[in-house]
Amino acid sequence: MIDTHCHILAGIDDGAMNMDISVLMAQMATEDGITRIIATPHIRNHYPTPHDIREATQNLNHRLDQWGVPVSVIPGAEVSMMMDLDSMLTYTINHTPYILIEFPHSYLPLNWKDIFFQLKIRGYRPILAHPERHPDIIRQPKIILDLHEEDVLVQITADSLIGTFGLAAKQCAEYLLKKNVVDIIASDAHSTEDRRPLLSSGIKAAARIIGREKAFSLVTKNPLTVIQGDLLPSFSHV
Ligand SMILES: [Fe+2]
């Protein structure tokens, strides 16, 4: 499996506090069946820079080699929608056109549709992180159906499906799965404690709704397509 959302880089954001925790997170991920992890630190005030992320990713891969942990880490970022557009474009996943975007936690910016539009006309492919955990989306989840129709990819958090973020987030995640608009499931892990780098329980829950093969593709085939910079089949307007 490939985890496309993980705060595994040490000492950069609210994820792994140090390199030891990063290695433990990677170890935990391998035990869950994960072989590749996209490192997605939050970007705040242009920190870390894309160069910092590449360097931290290389350092971590080197350490994982030394410890014999069979996971490779790939550079990415979780970009706030409030960031200026030109800066946003420098934080793509693995140098592909894909960008992982997060809404502000408690509201939707007035120009959010325009931001997605601007990204797309520049040739980028936005992936929206965990919409099922956002209060405004929970109130009106149909927004995401329209957004997906406009080629914005949808990534939900595995733990949402097992109730970690509450009943409303769980029901919203299930609704999005039933409506066939979820492209990717990811861990959004921050540590080895409460927000852990695990996918399998969430995938089991997803499989009960959309079937095992489809659920599994959300952590295998689709993430691989993203890493390679290829087009996902759900893109309708290419
Ligand atoms: Fe995150």
Side-chain angles (χ1 to χ4, degrees):
M1 291 187 288
I2 302 172
D3 187 4
T4 52
H5 188 156
C6 188
H7 299 264
I8 194 170
L9 297 180
I12 280 184
D13 62 359
D14 57 344
M17 284 171 60
N18 55 49
M19 186 61 99
D20 289 345
I21 305 277
S22 300
V23 173
L24 287 170
M25 286 173 74
Q27 181 65 45
M28 190 176 264
T30 64
E31 286 161 13
D32 198 52
I34 293 165
T35 54
R36 278 182 266 195
I37 294 172
I38 303 180
T40 53
H42 294 288
I43 310 301
R44 297 274 184 267
N45 300 320
H46 304 95
Y47 174 81
T49 65
H51 177 265
D52 294 335
I53 296 170
R54 280 196 299 277
E55 200 170 63
T57 302
Q58 279 172 8
N59 289 342
L60 178 54
N61 277 322
H62 182 62
R63 187 66 72 94
L64 294 174
D65 269 356
Q66 286 177 328
W67 283 92
V69 181
V71 174
S72 63
V73 181
I74 293 160
E78 182 173 17
V79 181
S80 165
M81 182 165 253
M82 305 311 282
M83 187 184 250
D84 68 277
L85 196 71
D86 286 340
S87 303
M88 229 185 230
L89 303 181
T90 64
Y91 289 100
T92 60
I93 292 174
N94 200 31
H95 316 292
T96 67
Y98 289 97
I99 304 185
L100 182 65
I101 308 274
E102 64 171 339
F103 281 138
H105 291 302
S106 55
Y107 66 97
L108 299 181
L110 285 175
N111 61 340
W112 65 274
K113 285 183 185 167
D114 187 53
I115 293 169
F116 285 127
F117 179 72
Q118 294 297 331
L119 285 168
K120 283 184 297 171
I121 59 171
R122 285 167 171 77
Y124 291 81
R125 299 179 200 143
I127 303 174
L128 178 60
H130 42 67
E132 81 285 0
R133 289 159 42 195
H134 195 285
D136 288 357
I137 304 293
I138 285 172
R139 271 192 292 276
Q140 39 183 342
K142 283 195 175 68
I143 289 175
I144 299 301
L145 311 191
D146 298 337
L147 203 59
H148 196 256
E149 188 67 20
E150 295 295 324
D151 289 340
V152 173
L153 300 178
V154 174
Q155 181 198 76
I156 64 170
T157 305
D159 278 359
S160 293
L161 291 163
I162 58 171
T164 305
F165 296 96
L167 183 60
K170 181 172 185 281
Q171 287 174 336
C172 187
E174 290 170 350
Y175 170 84
L176 297 175
L177 279 174
K178 281 177 197 153
K179 293 292 181 184
N180 202 25
V181 295
V182 176
D183 299 285
I184 294 173
I185 296 179
S187 78
D188 195 9
H190 282 65
S191 72
T192 54
E193 301 296 326
D194 49 347
R195 306 268 305 270
R196 298 182 296 166
L198 305 175
L199 295 172
S200 55
S201 300
I203 295 307
K204 264 185 211 148
R208 286 194 284 275
I209 299 166
I210 55 173
R212 192 177 180 281
E213 189 181 342
K214 186 95 197 286
F216 208 56
S217 73
L218 305 183
V219 287
T220 53
K221 204 166 110 212
N222 287 4
L224 183 63
T225 304
V226 167
I227 289 173
Q228 293 173 336
D230 294 332
L231 278 178
L232 279 168
S234 59
F235 276 101
S236 55
H237 307 113
V238 289

